[in-house]
Amino acid sequence: MKAHQHAQVYFNLISSVEPKFLKLTQVDERIYEEFRRTFRNLRVDVLDPEELKSEAAKEKWRPFCLSFEGMVKDFSYGAKAWVEF
């Protein structure tokens, strides 16, 4: 539930600001680079819920989220959501 609430807040934020001026964390670039390295073939323009719920995806998402422990406040909300999926 908290991950969903945070997603709504961030969606509203990124929808109201030109992306090149938006910084959500101090490590945005690192998160993006690691995301692209971990999820090379994931299409973000059209997400497939079944692809996201697969066991293979779950095995990637949790370590990805946990890798930002100590760098990003509430880093584990995404990891918790994926475990509960």
Side-chain angles (χ1 to χ4, degrees):
M1 183 65 134
K2 283 196 171 205
H4 181 264
Q5 291 169 343
H6 279 265
Q8 284 184 310
V9 169
Y10 283 120
F11 179 78
N12 291 338
L13 179 61
I14 64 175
S15 297
S16 65
V17 177
E18 191 172 341
K20 67 181 179 182
F21 298 116
L22 183 63
K23 288 283 188 193
L24 299 176
T25 74
Q26 293 180 0
V27 291
D28 285 357
E29 292 300 319
R30 182 173 175 185
I31 293 170
Y32 179 75
E33 290 168 6
E34 185 60 31
F35 175 80
R36 279 292 161 213
R37 190 174 10 264
T38 304
F39 303 99
R40 286 193 172 111
N41 299 320
L42 181 64
R43 289 187 57 199
V44 294
D45 58 338
V46 179
L47 293 174
D48 176 4
E50 293 308 313
E51 182 181 355
L52 296 174
K53 293 178 186 180
S54 73
E55 287 304 315
K58 289 179 185 181
E59 290 175 17
K60 288 183 178 182
W61 277 110
R62 184 167 175 72
F64 171 79
C65 293
L66 294 175
S67 72
F68 297 102
E69 182 175 11
M71 286 185 258
V72 177
K73 182 181 176 191
D74 300 330
F75 72 95
S76 66
Y77 282 147
K80 289 176 187 173
W82 287 109
V83 169
E84 295 170 0
F85 233 163

